[in-house]
Amino acid sequence: MKTKLWLVVLVLIVSACKDLKYSYFTRINADGTIFKRVVAEGDSSLIYSSPFSFDVNEGWDLRYDKKVDGEGGDTLYLVIAEKTFANLSDVNRALELEGDSAHKDNIYGELNRKFRGFFSFHQYTETFKQRFPFKHLSVEDYLSTDEYAYFFEGDSAAVINMMETEIKAYEEQGESRFWSYLAGSLGIEFVALANSLASNSQMAALTEKDSLFAMQLFQSSVDNGPDLDEICQLIDQQMHTVWLSEAYTNGYFEPFEKQIDNEVILLGDNVYTAEVQVPGLLYKTNANSIEANSAKWTFRRGSFLYKDYTLSLEYRTINYWTFIIVALVLLILVGSFVLKRKT
């Protein structure tokens, strides 16, 4: 399982030339409906092989196009999916995956509104959920923001003024902490699976000592990858039982083993752009740029491999009905005052 991080970075760079580019456009309409456009752009072999994470057969309008790359002169193919949703709940039902997958975009949106007299203040967030399936630990407790950006987002700003030896040390230290994060995540997941099996089989759960031993086994197996068969045998020896080994033989840990093989080291350097257009005054956002009432982001898939990546913005709309009510009240008060003066 183990791969040097510098090799991971190299694979990310090499893969960039063949991965798809994704563009997400969201328009929040004043009536509460939400328009979505998602565009995948790249090689034709990828475009025509189900490039989207969501089911395009659920009411999406689909069309294909192509264009010439301005830099390389290559022909790029596009597939464009569009749909107008009645509300954000419908959007989430389409884009937030029930069966979470490390190989698909899993997106969840939230829209909160606060009424303040003549104005309403709205807060919108759209979160690209972490692809790494085990969420017991936070990678931010192991890697700094700069380290994460260097290893997974292609940002070399942290090492730009370093000597070669310093860069090597920087990579090795980051690699060591990253592998502690991976091994810890796997160890916690294994203990949870083992205790779930014990509960269902009326067996004694792993004690704190047994759990710590399991965690140590995962940490020490990082060079060659965890051998679940051997780990089960060693923990059985520790507990003087055989039920973990029997569970492994019967295939209980097979899904977990597949996740270790396929969903631990996540590669791919797809470029993403996102734009959110709002029906009011946009006054706060973490976007890279703002144009009128639209916020725009550019990021890479690495931004949400091992942690969530959230687009956020706040905007203000005018409550015209409040003005109408106030005007009517004033007219009534003025009318009442005039009638009293006449009498």
Side-chain angles (χ1 to χ4, degrees):
M1 182 184 74
K2 185 170 183 181
T3 306
K4 293 289 186 182
L5 276 189
W6 60 265
L7 180 57
V8 173
V9 174
L10 177 61
V11 173
L12 288 174
I13 294 172
V14 171
S15 67
C17 62
K18 60 183 179 181
D19 281 339
L20 292 173
K21 176 181 177 181
Y22 286 94
S23 298
Y24 283 85
F25 174 79
T26 302
R27 183 176 65 244
I28 302 172
N29 298 315
D31 63 359
T33 61
I34 296 177
F35 171 77
K36 280 279 187 181
R37 179 193 302 121
V38 187
V39 181
E41 174 185 319
D43 184 82
S44 61
S45 62
L46 299 175
I47 289 298
Y48 291 99
S49 59
S50 302
F52 296 126
S53 301
F54 50 87
D55 187 355
V56 295
N57 295 315
E58 294 184 348
W60 291 83
D61 293 325
L62 206 65
R63 69 179 189 272
Y64 294 86
D65 202 349
K66 60 183 178 180
K67 68 179 184 179
V68 177
D69 185 1
E71 295 181 3
D74 297 329
T75 299
L76 298 176
Y77 294 82
L78 296 84
V79 56
I80 303 159
E82 296 180 335
K83 184 176 180 179
T84 297
F85 295 87
N87 50 52
L88 189 58
S89 295
D90 286 351
V91 176
N92 287 335
R93 276 191 284 273
L95 300 184
E96 187 187 20
L97 305 180
E98 292 183 4
D100 200 358
S101 170
H103 304 291
K104 292 186 176 182
D105 294 347
N106 191 352
I107 306 169
Y108 177 75
E110 282 190 284
L111 181 58
N112 297 309
R113 176 187 177 186
K114 292 182 179 179
F115 172 73
R116 294 289 185 271
F118 294 110
F119 302 99
S120 287
F121 294 86
H122 310 258
Q123 183 179 50
Y124 178 76
T125 59
E126 193 168 291
T127 299
F128 287 72
K129 290 187 172 183
Q130 168 186 314
R131 286 192 167 209
F132 183 58
F134 310 117
K135 300 174 175 63
H136 308 295
L137 302 173
S138 171
V139 72
E140 293 174 320
D141 292 332
Y142 294 81
L143 296 178
S144 69
T145 300
D146 287 343
E147 287 171 330
Y148 189 92
Y150 175 72
F151 289 122
F152 300 109
E153 298 176 329
D155 186 349
S156 59
V159 301
I160 195 168
N161 294 318
M162 290 185 184
M163 303 289 289
E164 187 175 341
T165 53
E166 293 174 318
I167 294 175
K168 182 178 180 182
Y170 183 85
E171 290 176 346
E172 288 177 348
Q173 291 168 11
E175 176 189 359
S176 177
R177 289 195 297 274
F178 176 66
W179 284 105
S180 292
Y181 160 73
L182 288 185
S185 299
L186 296 178
I188 294 172
E189 181 70 11
F190 175 84
V191 170
L193 289 172
N195 284 336
S196 176
L197 175 63
S199 175
N200 293 332
S201 306
Q202 297 184 332
M203 307 291 291
L206 273 66
T207 64
E208 184 176 347
K209 180 181 178 182
D210 298 329
S211 299
L212 179 60
F213 180 58
M215 296 292 293
Q216 291 172 339
L217 290 176
F218 275 89
Q219 289 287 350
S220 63
S221 68
V222 75
D223 284 332
N224 299 311
D227 184 333
L228 290 189
D229 188 13
E230 182 180 5
I231 288 174
C232 288
Q233 292 179 30
L234 290 171
I235 298 175
D236 272 340
Q237 291 176 17
Q238 163 99 355
M239 300 189 301
H240 305 292
T241 61
V242 296
W243 61 272
L244 275 174
S245 298
E246 290 177 349
Y248 178 85
T249 301
N250 293 331
Y252 176 74
F253 291 103
E254 187 175 341
F256 180 46
E257 206 163 32
K258 288 181 178 178
Q259 285 183 299
I260 292 175
D261 291 339
N262 301 323
E263 300 179 356
V264 171
I265 297 300
L266 301 175
L267 304 178
D269 198 33
N270 301 60
V271 175
Y272 283 70
T273 62
E275 179 178 355
V276 179
Q277 187 179 96
V278 299
L281 176 65
L282 175 59
Y283 64 88
K284 184 178 180 180
T285 180
N286 66 351
N288 302 116
S289 64
I290 299 174
E291 184 177 329
N293 61 337
S294 291
K296 299 179 180 181
W297 294 259
T298 299
F299 53 101
R300 296 187 179 187
R301 177 171 287 168
S303 298
F304 57 98
L305 289 182
Y306 295 97
K307 61 181 180 179
D308 292 348
Y309 183 79
T310 300
L311 321 176
S312 67
L313 57 81
E314 296 179 30
Y315 64 98
R316 186 191 71 193
T317 56
I318 300 172
N319 297 324
Y320 292 101
W321 57 270
T322 308
F323 286 91
I324 295 172
I325 291 174
V326 170
L328 289 173
V329 170
L330 288 175
L331 285 172
I332 292 170
L333 290 174
V334 170
S336 299
F337 177 75
V338 171
L339 288 173
K340 286 182 180 179
R341 290 289 300 270
K342 288 182 176 181
T343 58

